[in-house]
Amino acid sequence: MAVHSPRPDGLPARLGADDTLVMGVLNVTPDSFSDGGEHYRLADALAHGRHLIAQGADIVDVGGESTRPGAPRVDEEEELRRVLPVVEALAAEDAVVSVDTMRASVAAASVEAGALIVNDVSAGRADQDMGGEVARLRTRRGTPPVFIAMHWRGHSDVMNELTDYEDVARDGAVELEERLAALREDGVEERYLVVDPGLGFSKTGEQNWEVLGDWDALASHGLPILVGASRKRFVSALGVDRDAATAAISAYSAEHGAWAVRVHDVPATVAAVRVGDRLRRSVRR
């Protein structure tokens, strides 16, 4: 059984306890796979962000571009229009805000608006300026933003064609390590890095389970781990309630030492990670 993964620097002390954090998803998009359009208007987005926090979310992850399979890209101006007012308003209320973006310009504007975390599903591959920009940025706390680097092989329109691996967990870990090396070379500091295995991205349903089943590969980077399984197709394919199934994966992730889980249904996840954390602390080593 894994011990809890390290904590990234740069976040408020209230997030420093040895518990798995809950990141609530706030999609400010008309076309996300689960909740597209529900929080597209600013008032709706802010209301939902506040609701996530009231339910127990430690972090609110604000995204203005859908990454569902087949989704078209939005232009930079539209992405900025969607996310910046939400980031700024929630950060002004002392929420810990993450921006879900593949663009260095959106990351920079969001950090200036108050975001403490940049969540890039491409780990800097989609925008060659991302690593250097993140290394240069400083949050309102005076520290670099935390940077979440996910395993990614290509954009939404092609990712389902990029699922060939010899060993999906180990190959994905090697590919992600290559991206981490590039980010470090760009100046991103190790203590602000978080890794995400990229469930649902360039992976078949069965491959997602193989990734989750090889926690040693997930932990091989020696960095905090974010797991994002919420409502994804491989979860829905079980034929049970997708939020209940997600909560089970969250409990498993917490038991194995994940730093955070990214979810839509916060209350069930809060309960799940508390169980997982408690089990992890009780296991004899």
Side-chain angles (χ1 to χ4, degrees):
M1 186 66 62
V3 298
H4 205 290
S5 61
R7 295 265 152 173
D9 284 352
L11 297 177
R14 66 180 185 270
L15 301 187
D18 187 25
D19 289 319
T20 297
L21 302 177
V22 176
M23 175 185 282
V25 177
L26 177 49
N27 289 317
V28 192
T29 62
D31 59 344
S32 290
F33 75 93
S34 173
D35 54 0
E38 291 183 19
H39 316 120
Y40 190 47
R41 294 190 308 129
L42 177 58
D44 294 335
L46 293 178
H48 188 62
R50 293 168 183 141
H51 185 57
L52 292 171
I53 294 165
Q55 290 179 317
D58 302 292
I59 301 164
V60 178
D61 191 42
V62 180
E65 179 177 22
S66 175
T67 54
R68 64 176 173 79
R73 296 215 68 187
V74 300
D75 62 37
E76 176 185 352
E77 291 75 16
E78 176 62 14
E79 187 180 359
L80 286 165
R81 185 194 67 78
R82 293 176 183 182
V83 302
L84 285 186
V86 181
V87 170
E88 186 169 25
L90 293 177
E93 297 172 10
D94 200 33
V96 177
V97 179
S98 167
V99 61
D100 179 359
T101 185
M102 291 181 280
R103 288 190 170 99
S105 59
V106 176
S110 298
V111 169
E112 184 177 351
L116 299 181
I117 302 170
V118 176
N119 181 12
D120 181 358
V121 299
S122 79
R125 286 187 64 185
D127 186 340
Q128 63 181 0
D129 295 329
M130 181 65 87
E133 187 69 14
V134 168
R136 180 190 66 79
L137 290 172
R138 292 296 179 270
T139 69
R140 294 177 180 179
R141 297 174 61 82
T143 61
V146 170
F147 187 74
I148 300 172
M150 194 191 81
H151 176 254
W152 183 89
R153 283 184 160 185
H155 286 289
S156 297
D157 59 340
V158 298
M159 67 180 183
N160 283 345
E161 302 167 15
L162 305 174
T163 59
D164 290 337
Y165 303 87
E166 290 189 12
D167 181 319
V168 62
R170 301 302 167 113
D171 292 353
V174 168
E175 292 172 15
L176 184 52
E177 187 59 42
E178 291 170 355
R179 287 305 311 149
L180 293 170
L183 291 166
R184 295 182 191 105
E185 188 172 333
D186 285 337
V188 180
E189 296 181 51
E190 183 93 357
R191 59 198 178 120
Y192 296 100
L193 284 168
V194 173
V195 294
D196 178 340
L199 300 175
F201 289 80
S202 296
K203 298 171 186 70
T204 66
E206 181 60 32
Q207 286 171 341
N208 291 309
W209 294 111
E210 291 174 18
V211 169
L212 283 171
D214 190 346
W215 200 270
D216 287 344
L218 270 67
S220 63
H221 311 286
L223 294 170
I225 299 166
L226 171 70
V227 174
S230 186
R231 296 180 178 175
K232 292 189 174 176
R233 290 180 181 179
F234 80 100
V235 176
S236 300
L238 292 173
V240 297
D241 181 85
R242 60 185 181 176
D243 286 327
T246 298
I249 294 173
S250 294
Y252 167 87
S253 299
E255 186 182 0
H256 282 74
W259 166 69
V261 291
R262 182 181 182 275
V263 298
H264 298 81
D265 181 11
V266 168
T269 301
V270 170
V273 298
R274 295 299 168 263
V275 170
D277 284 332
R278 188 64 185 85
L279 285 170
R280 175 173 44 80
R281 288 194 290 267
S282 298
V283 171
R284 293 184 179 180
R285 305 190 188 284

